């Protein structure tokens, strides 16, 4: 039995509306008390959090951990190291593994591996067998095995009839469908945003409508089926408008933005920089501005890294042959703050909401799940998952800051002004950059 006092921090919990200086007492894996000035005598050890933000543990609902099948890029264990380095206590991993997570056995495999991870890991399972789009998976059985969402991420479900069937089954299973919005007939050979830079570089462009047309179609199907539907890694400014209308019409539609789509544009591809090659592609400053505005207005309510590790030799290929994707867990919070806090787009309580309770609700993690109490908030009696953030911490990203297996970050060399300094998962300190050992 161990108790830990986190004293004097600015405690922000969007669910209860808390934003004030408080102490938090953790007893084993549970939050025992949240009050002003809890007696030190009650604690075996203490974290001095004066000047720091104490948040519910951060949740990333969209990462790629590459296990099974591509362990040279990342594993569930190495990905969980990247997660806690970035302040995340929970991640949800996508099913585009080898083989894809499309059966209850593979859902259980992820949970088995996750038992040894540094953070909580929950699997999202595929909606079609092999993610091939032709045959629906047994979605009810996937949910019973513990899948927290359904997605063929990496690809959209292209056939409209199949998409409708998958939405109907996903709704019946009580889950959310997460769509990778890309019409493949509009992106054949495309490797970056279609614009002046793709022309300059002589690369095949990827138009915004490839994303928008899938969202438009799917919103019709959401109206028809009532399934909760989530747009992954939104990249086009006009997609924000489409989602604004759907939410205005009270459809159960949510969307996420990724750090790179909040900070970078297709200019980063100049010099054929493969660490700026991602799917969907980096777009223009007008898109970045529209996505930030969509967050400020509460149209985009979730942030997600799309952490996509690739080996150095894969990213060293010529631009048109290199794989899509960048890592993001270790730098995510700093990047979100740079895009949203340092530009006065939103404040800390809203940023923390986008990173805790909203992704928890997306994946039903706010409810009791597999015998564990709900995640995403700070509640006495609830799980002691906490992230401690230094809101005034200047640092420059180097290779040694990347804790996962891959190094394909677009932010190496970038300077940031905030940093997570401690990650506590179920009462255990899994990352600690505080000046005093805990
Ligand atoms: Zn995707």
């Amino acid at each position: 039995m161990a108790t830990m006092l986190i004293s004097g921090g600015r405690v922000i919990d969007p669910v209860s509306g808390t934003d004030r200086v408080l102490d938090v007492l953790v007893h084993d894996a549970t939050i025992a008390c949240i009050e002003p000035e809890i007696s030190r005598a009650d604690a075996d050890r203490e974290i001095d959090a004066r000047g720091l933000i104490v948040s519910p543990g951060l949740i990333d609902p969209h990462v790629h951990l590459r296990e099974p099948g591509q362990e040279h890029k990342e594993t569930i264990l190495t990905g969980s190291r990247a997660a806690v380095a970035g302040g995340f206590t929970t991640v949800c991993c996508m099913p585009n593994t080898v083989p894809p997570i499309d059966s209850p056995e593979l859902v259980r495999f992820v949970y088995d591996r996750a038992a040894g991870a540094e953070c909580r890991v929950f699997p999202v399972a595929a909606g079609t067998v092999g993610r091939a789009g032709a045959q629906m998976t047994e979605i009810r059985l996937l949910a019973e095995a513990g899948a927290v969402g359904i997605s063929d991420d990496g690809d959209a479900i292209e056939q409209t009839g199949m998409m409708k069937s998958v939405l109907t089954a996903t709704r019946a299973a009580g889950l959310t469908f997460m769509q990778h919005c890309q019409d493949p007939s509009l992106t054949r050979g495309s490797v970056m945003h279609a614009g002046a830079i793709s022309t300059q570089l002589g690369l095949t462009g990827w138009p915004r409508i490839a994303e928008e047309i899938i969202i438009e179609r799917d919103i019709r199907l959401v109206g028809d089926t009532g399934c909760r539907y989530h747009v992954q890694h939104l990249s086009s400014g006009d997609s924000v408008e489409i989602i604004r209308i759907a939410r205005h019409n009270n459809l159960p539609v949510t969307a996420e933005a990724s750090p790179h789509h909040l900070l970078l544009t297709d200019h980063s591809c100049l010099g054929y920089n493969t660490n700026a090659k991602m799917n969907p592609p980096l777009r223009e400053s007008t898109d970045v501005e529209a996505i930030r505005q969509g967050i400020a207005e509460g149209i985009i309510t979730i942030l997600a890294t799309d952490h996509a590790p690739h080996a150095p030799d894969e990213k060293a290929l010529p631009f048109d042959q290199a794989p899509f994707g960048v890592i993001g867990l270790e730098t995510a919070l700093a990047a979100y703050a740079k895009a949203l806090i340092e530009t006065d787009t939103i404040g800390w309580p809203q940023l923390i909401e986008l990173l805790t309770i909203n992704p928890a609700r997306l994946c039903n993690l706010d409810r009791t799940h597999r015998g564990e109490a709900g995640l995403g908030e700070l509640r006495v009696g609830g799980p002691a998952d906490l992230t401690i953030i230094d809101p005034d911490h200047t640092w420059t990203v180097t290779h040694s800051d990347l804790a996962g297996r891959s190094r394909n970050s677009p932010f190496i060399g970038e300077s940031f002004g905030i940093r997570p300094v401690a990650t506590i998962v179920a009462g255990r300190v899994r990352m600690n950059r505080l000046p005093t050992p805990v």
Side-chain angles (χ1 to χ4, degrees), residues 20 29 34 40 60-61 106 145 167 194 201 208 214 219 225 230 240 250 270 281 291 315 324 344 377 387 391 430:
R20 56 189 282 229
I34 307 173
R40 261 174 207 125
D60 189 334
L106 281 159
L167 288 175
L201 294 177
R208 295 183 181 89
I214 293 290
I219 284 171
T225 60
H230 179 68
V240 180
N250 290 319
L270 287 170
I291 294 169
K315 277 292 195 183
F324 292 98
D344 286 326
E377 62 177 309
T387 304
R430 295 290 197 166

Side-chain angles (χ1 to χ4, degrees), residues 62 153-154 180 232-233 279 306:
H62 183 165
D153 183 36
H180 170 106
Q232 298 184 299
H233 45 46
N279 175 352
D306 189 14

Side-chain angles (χ1 to χ4, degrees), residues 126-295:
T128 69
V129 175
R131 297 173 48 256
Q135 184 190 345
M136 192 162 64
T137 53
E138 300 206 70
I139 289 173
R140 184 178 57 83
L141 298 182
L142 293 168
E144 285 172 8
V148 298
I150 300 295
S151 176
D152 273 6
D153 183 36
D155 293 289
I157 294 183
E158 192 180 353
Q159 289 292 330
T160 306
M162 176 58 67
M163 185 62 190
K164 183 176 174 184
S165 299
V166 168
L167 288 175
T168 302
T170 302
R171 185 192 178 192
L175 298 179
T176 301
F177 186 83
M178 307 170 177
Q179 182 76 298
H180 170 106
C181 301
Q182 176 191 359
D183 183 327
S185 69
L186 294 171
T187 60
R188 291 221 172 89
S190 303
V191 293
M192 67 171 290
H193 171 64
I197 307 237
S198 63
T199 305
Q200 184 186 333
L201 294 177
L203 295 169
T204 307
W206 180 311
R208 295 183 181 89
I209 53 163
E211 174 174 288
E212 296 154 8
I213 209 156
I214 293 290
I215 303 175
E216 292 266 22
R217 178 201 70 171
D218 288 351
I219 284 171
R220 295 280 175 160
L221 293 172
V222 169
D224 205 33
T225 60
C227 185
R228 288 195 287 158
Y229 171 82
H230 179 68
V231 173
Q232 298 184 299
H233 45 46
L234 181 151
S235 72
S236 162
D238 282 351
S239 296
V240 180
E241 279 312 305
I242 300 167
I243 292 160
R244 183 199 307 273
I245 294 164
R247 289 173 67 87
H248 181 77
N249 291 331
N250 290 319
L251 291 172
V253 174
T254 53
E256 73 191 26
S258 304
H260 40 275
H261 290 121
L262 282 166
L263 276 180
L264 305 176
T265 66
D266 58 351
H267 279 80
S268 295
C269 300
L270 287 170
Y272 300 94
N273 172 15
T274 59
N275 280 342
K277 180 178 179 181
M278 56 229 17
N279 175 352
L282 298 174
R283 299 202 185 273
E284 300 181 24
S285 54
T286 49
D287 299 283
V288 170
E289 202 38 58
I291 294 169
R292 290 182 182 178
Q293 194 54 35
I295 290 169

Side-chain angles (χ1 to χ4, degrees), residues 78-160:
T78 63
S80 74
R81 288 183 187 141
V84 297
F88 291 91
T89 56
T90 296
V91 296
C92 302
C93 57
M94 289 296 139
N96 62 336
T97 47
V98 186
I101 301 164
D102 62 0
S103 68
E105 291 71 28
L106 281 159
V107 170
R108 285 192 281 271
F109 167 86
V110 173
Y111 278 112
D112 284 349
R113 288 304 161 99
E118 301 273 318
C119 67
R120 300 178 199 267
V121 178
F122 295 97
V124 172
T128 69
V129 175
R131 297 173 48 256
Q135 184 190 345
M136 192 162 64
T137 53
E138 300 206 70
I139 289 173
R140 184 178 57 83
L141 298 182
L142 293 168
E144 285 172 8
V148 298
I150 300 295
S151 176
D152 273 6
D153 183 36
D155 293 289
I157 294 183
E158 192 180 353
Q159 289 292 330
T160 306

